[in-house]
Amino acid sequence: MEAEKKSCSITIKDDHDDHKDSSEEQELSLSIEKLNLVVPKKKKLLVMNLNGFLLHRFIHRHILRDGRYVPNPILGSRRADSISGNFLRKHNIDGALDLAIGEESKNKLLFVWNQDQCRQTNTASKESNEKPIYFKELQKVWEKVEKGGPYSASNTLMIGDKPYKAYLNPENTAIFAKSYDPEDKEDNALDPNGELCEYLKGVAEAEDVQSYVKNNEFGIPEITEDNSEWFFYFRVLFGELMV
């Protein structure tokens, strides 16, 4: 963004010539507009969640329910946009990203992490008894990702759909959109002219990400100590630390 443009006047005086009076001072007026002054903004790191935000993944044949495999009910209402094996296998992340953002954009990403880089607990999530709770720790990102950095809480924003996954991160470093629902025809969260993209423009221009997020609410609120959810995940972590 260009800095505010102003004009200034610079007066040059020869202090070695005592015979010159003020009328003989040389004045030089410069316009900062001609300097095309540009104040660079700090680069921001955007960490996005794949499943639930960029796309909706599911097992396309059968799912485990109550101890047995049954046909996936979503197939009764629509066809999958793409099929790539079992989504639980790590190598399918590349295929999912190709579908979600395209190969060219995928190749511009600084990193692609999977559940191995998350903090896994032994407690089942509220979403599924077969799936444990995973936390995404930005501190690990800040320690590992160097290109374009350094990165910290002041210049990093994580976008997801599950607030609890950011439980271990500093406050106001993440926003949470409603989970993508393939049956919701009114969902326009990723519209280039939509609310989210406009919000990200503000983040890009902000001097400090945490301050911007704190002063500009978006989507689902994060989990804080004022929220009853906070104590649930505190007990999960505290209980496992005591084992």
Side-chain angles (χ1 to χ4, degrees):
M1 165 166 295
E2 288 192 358
E4 182 180 358
K5 296 177 179 178
K6 299 179 180 178
S7 295
C8 67
S9 178
I10 301 176
T11 300
I12 301 177
K13 182 177 180 180
D14 187 352
D15 294 329
H16 298 287
D17 192 341
D18 296 333
H19 299 291
K20 291 184 177 180
D21 56 29
S22 59
S23 64
E24 294 176 306
E25 292 177 357
Q26 300 177 41
E27 291 191 356
L28 175 62
S29 295
L30 298 177
S31 171
I32 292 183
E33 290 182 352
K34 296 180 180 179
L35 299 179
N36 194 27
L37 182 62
V38 176
V39 179
K41 296 289 185 182
K42 283 197 306 183
K43 286 188 177 181
K44 309 299 193 303
L45 179 65
L46 187 62
V47 182
M48 295 178 289
N49 185 50
L50 178 61
N51 189 33
F53 174 62
L54 293 178
L55 49 74
H56 177 76
R57 291 190 296 170
F58 61 92
I59 298 177
H60 63 88
R61 292 179 180 171
H62 292 81
I63 59 174
L64 184 63
R65 178 174 291 176
D66 298 328
R68 62 192 184 93
Y69 285 96
V70 297
N72 194 316
I74 197 172
L75 295 181
S77 58
R78 62 166 293 154
R79 297 183 109 189
D81 295 307
S82 178
I83 297 176
S84 179
N86 186 328
F87 75 79
L88 295 178
R89 295 160 67 179
K90 287 185 265 187
H91 66 261
N92 286 326
I93 291 180
D94 285 338
L97 280 172
D98 284 340
L99 177 64
I101 63 176
E103 184 176 0
E104 182 178 352
S105 294
K106 184 190 73 173
N107 293 334
K108 296 178 181 179
L109 298 177
L110 290 182
F111 64 94
V112 178
W113 284 4
N114 56 42
Q115 290 180 345
D116 290 343
Q117 283 77 36
C118 297
R119 181 167 180 173
Q120 180 179 346
T121 70
N122 296 318
T123 303
S125 71
K126 296 181 178 181
E127 306 159 301
S128 169
N129 291 330
E130 288 85 20
K131 183 178 180 180
I133 293 173
Y134 287 92
F135 296 114
K136 297 183 176 182
E137 299 180 83
L138 285 177
Q139 185 61 45
K140 292 183 178 179
V141 174
W142 298 330
E143 292 173 355
K144 298 291 185 181
V145 179
E146 298 180 351
K147 186 176 180 181
Y151 298 108
S152 66
S154 67
N155 61 1
T156 302
L157 180 69
M158 185 170 78
I159 306 178
D161 62 321
K162 302 291 190 300
Y164 77 84
K165 293 184 179 180
Y167 179 79
L168 298 177
N169 299 330
E171 291 186 7
N172 302 310
T173 55
I175 58 173
F176 308 96
K178 184 179 69 172
S179 298
Y180 172 62
D181 180 1
E183 299 300 308
D184 184 2
K185 297 181 180 179
E186 303 300 321
D187 186 348
N188 64 347
L190 299 182
D191 188 324
N193 298 315
E195 183 181 5
L196 175 60
C197 287
E198 290 299 317
Y199 188 90
L200 293 180
K201 290 177 184 178
V203 172
E205 296 297 328
E207 292 294 335
D208 181 79
V209 170
Q210 282 183 293
S211 298
Y212 185 87
V213 174
K214 180 179 180 179
N215 296 324
N216 298 272
E217 296 182 358
F218 181 90
I220 306 170
E222 66 177 330
I223 297 175
T224 66
E225 293 186 31
D226 298 327
N227 190 307
S228 60
E229 291 274 293
W230 189 91
F231 294 99
F232 170 79
Y233 293 106
F234 175 81
R235 289 193 294 269
V236 169
L237 290 169
F238 183 78
E240 297 199 356
L241 288 174
M242 295 296 291
V243 173

